[in-house]
Amino acid sequence: MASLFSETLLPTTTELPEGYSVRPLQRTDYQKGFLDVLRVLTKVGDISEEAWLERYDWMAKRNEEYFIICIVNGEGTIVGVGSLVIERKFLRNLGAVGHIEDITVQSSEQGKKLGLRIIQTLDHIAQQVGCYKCILDCSEKNQPFYEKCGYKLAGVQMVYHI
Ligand code: ACO
């Protein structure tokens, strides 16, 4: 099964409900509810499978940069997702920063610590690939969740809408 990145970057164990597992995004995940989970977070649009595969292949060619994980339930349906994008820098001795993006858990599956496990898994991958920190933007509503995941408030989010 084609995976976006190597499973060896995942933690050796992840505490999840019985039958659930965490894995890298796979090329067949269009059929497994990936976009439905993203729709819990925001507008996704009407994306064809062909367009989805084109974007997947673009990311797979950059698989030292794009790390998308899925939590899958016992039936093989995707119930939680999260992304880590690696930014490589000149400063801090050619350091790297992990950007945590698009964390979302299917509404019926929230409150089972899946969000926490997604963040812990992405933080682990970031450490494995040499990041010195991870950062993210979120709404005030989600601030307590990220604090439970060990994140601290730092700075102000700015946006320029194009
Ligand atoms: N306010 C206060 N505490 C919270 C909240 C909240 N909004 N959400 C979770 N928590 C707490 C839980 O109670 C739990 O605390 P505990 O350890 O004391 O029991 C802890 O945080 C871990 O919660 P999980 O069960 O892991 O959270 P869940 O699996 O429900 O996922 C998430 C949280 C991802 C925010 C989920 O509610 C969701 O998908 N929301 C809709 C999409 C969204 O807003 N995503 C975040 C976008 S920001 C970004 O992507 C960078």
Side-chain angles (χ1 to χ4, degrees):
M1 191 78 68
S3 287
L4 190 61
F5 64 92
S6 166
E7 291 210 7
T8 59
L9 288 170
L10 297 174
T12 43
T13 55
T14 305
E15 224 178 291
L16 288 169
E18 176 123 18
Y20 288 51
S21 57
V22 62
R23 59 161 174 75
L25 184 69
Q26 294 176 347
R27 205 168 182 276
T28 49
D29 280 342
Y30 180 88
Q31 305 286 355
K32 296 190 185 145
F34 178 76
L35 294 180
D36 294 333
V37 180
L38 276 189
R39 284 188 182 101
V40 175
L41 172 63
T42 190
K43 285 181 209 158
V44 172
D46 187 15
I47 299 171
S48 68
E49 185 162 10
E50 192 188 8
W52 192 89
L53 288 171
E54 202 178 306
R55 176 56 50 93
Y56 176 95
D57 291 340
W58 188 91
M59 288 181 177
K61 274 192 232 144
R62 294 162 179 81
N63 72 353
E64 292 183 330
E65 219 175 319
Y66 286 90
F67 298 88
I68 301 180
I69 58 166
C70 299
I71 292 189
V72 179
N73 69 12
E75 285 83 55
T77 303
I78 296 172
V79 294
V81 304
S83 302
L84 168 73
V85 182
I86 308 297
E87 175 204 357
R88 289 184 172 78
K89 291 177 171 290
F90 283 109
L91 54 72
R92 297 219 180 216
N93 254 328
L94 306 178
V97 170
H99 295 262
I100 301 283
E101 294 282 341
D102 303 346
I103 306 302
T104 174
V105 173
Q106 190 54 266
S107 312
S108 57
E109 301 275 344
Q110 290 177 11
K112 297 181 181 176
K113 302 261 192 285
L114 303 185
L116 174 68
R117 301 305 172 216
I118 292 169
I119 296 296
Q120 289 173 335
T121 304
L122 295 176
D123 289 343
H124 176 89
I125 297 169
Q127 190 185 20
Q128 294 296 301
V129 301
C131 293
Y132 68 91
K133 67 175 179 183
C134 286
I135 56 177
L136 60 85
D137 291 327
C138 72
S139 62
E140 279 180 33
K141 180 175 157 277
N142 284 325
Q143 189 183 332
F145 163 70
Y146 287 109
E147 285 170 345
K148 289 264 164 91
C149 295
Y151 279 65
K152 285 185 292 207
L153 187 63
V156 175
Q157 179 193 4
M158 307 286 284
V159 63
Y160 175 74
H161 286 292
I162 295 173

